[in-house]
Amino acid sequence: MRKLPNIIVTGTPGTGKSTHGERLAELMPKMTYVSINEYIKDHSLQDGFDEELQSTIADEDKLIDLITPDLEIGGRILDWHVCDIFPESLIDLVVVLRTSTTLLFDRLKGRNYPQKKFDDNMDSEIMEIILSDARESYDPQIVIELYSNDKDDLESNCQRIESWTKQWIIDNDEDTQ
Ligand code: ADP
């Protein structure tokens, strides 16, 4: 049985996944933050390149094969905009970050994405695509939607996730069962 939970931090690009992941790792040194984009690069898990979107295509089967043993150990904070491919039995919390469209517009403008990628991401946020994917792929009770508009949101979200993690550890401690 895992002693630490696995948490997915997901959301449209620009909503603050990496900012939250890094802050969570500071607050909870026993947890390991994994940027899946970096993991794909580090482990050569690319399966082509989408020229139109200027995006790497990931080999998701290889990614799951490689990361599953880490998830079985537990204590992973996974940061990726795709949330629905990880084994349901190994995921304890799915945090879907949301950002107001005006703020997201400004954040994405700074990234110099191709127009189609920019439009697709804005549409995805407006249509709540990632939230729907998360609720369809995992028990909706473990999916939480949190706003990431400003620094106060960042801090309160991370504290909330830290409290949740502490409680998970108590609830799953074999010695107290
Ligand atoms: P993602 O990993 O989802 O693509 P980032 O964490 O890279 O998003 O954040 C995108 C930009 O928005 C960064 O400049 C970051 O500092 C800013 N940002 C993200 N979340 C917040 C927040 N809650 N408050 C203020 N700025 C934020």
Side-chain angles (χ1 to χ4, degrees):
M1 193 173 166
R2 285 176 284 116
K3 293 196 182 303
L4 292 169
N6 292 312
I7 301 171
I8 297 176
V9 179
T10 189
T12 305
T15 50
K17 298 181 294 296
S18 55
T19 311
H20 277 72
E22 284 160 14
R23 179 74 186 118
L24 286 168
E26 273 173 19
L27 287 171
M28 300 186 285
K30 286 187 183 160
M31 300 285 285
T32 305
Y33 166 58
V34 185
S35 157
I36 298 293
N37 285 334
E38 294 301 317
Y39 191 89
I40 288 165
K41 277 189 221 151
D42 293 348
H43 296 88
S44 302
L45 300 173
Q46 299 92 342
D47 188 22
F49 188 77
D50 185 322
E51 291 292 340
E52 189 182 22
L53 297 178
Q54 290 291 301
S55 298
T56 299
I57 300 164
D59 185 330
E60 295 184 354
D61 291 337
K62 274 194 196 158
L63 166 63
I64 293 304
D65 284 349
L66 203 61
I67 207 162
T68 294
D70 291 340
L71 296 177
E72 284 167 350
I73 294 166
R76 265 55 181 183
I77 302 166
L78 305 178
D79 150 9
W80 209 25
H81 63 283
V82 179
C83 67
D84 53 3
I85 63 164
F86 301 101
E88 200 180 351
S89 61
L90 296 175
I91 300 300
D92 304 295
L93 182 70
V94 183
V95 177
V96 183
L97 296 177
R98 305 296 312 280
T99 297
S100 84
T101 43
T102 25
L103 285 172
L104 190 65
F105 187 94
D106 290 339
R107 289 183 195 169
L108 292 182
K109 270 289 170 208
R111 289 192 170 177
N112 293 320
Y113 281 166
Q115 190 63 43
K116 179 167 165 45
K117 186 169 176 175
F118 179 91
D119 293 342
D120 285 356
N121 281 321
M122 288 303 298
D123 288 350
S124 162
E125 185 61 11
I126 292 162
M127 295 169 73
E128 307 188 332
I129 300 290
I130 295 181
L131 183 63
S132 308
D133 287 350
R135 286 183 177 149
E136 275 169 26
S137 308
Y138 301 94
D139 179 346
Q141 287 195 6
I142 71 159
V143 177
I144 57 167
E145 180 186 16
L146 294 177
Y147 270 85
S148 168
N149 288 329
D150 56 34
K151 293 246 150 50
D152 288 347
D153 289 340
L154 169 67
E155 208 46 43
S156 65
N157 291 344
C158 290
Q159 282 174 16
R160 189 169 158 191
I161 296 165
E162 185 191 16
S163 301
W164 176 90
T165 303
K166 282 183 180 157
Q167 192 58 48
W168 188 96
I169 293 169
I170 293 168
D171 292 346
N172 290 273
D173 182 351
E174 280 173 354
D175 297 337
T176 59
Q177 303 292 309

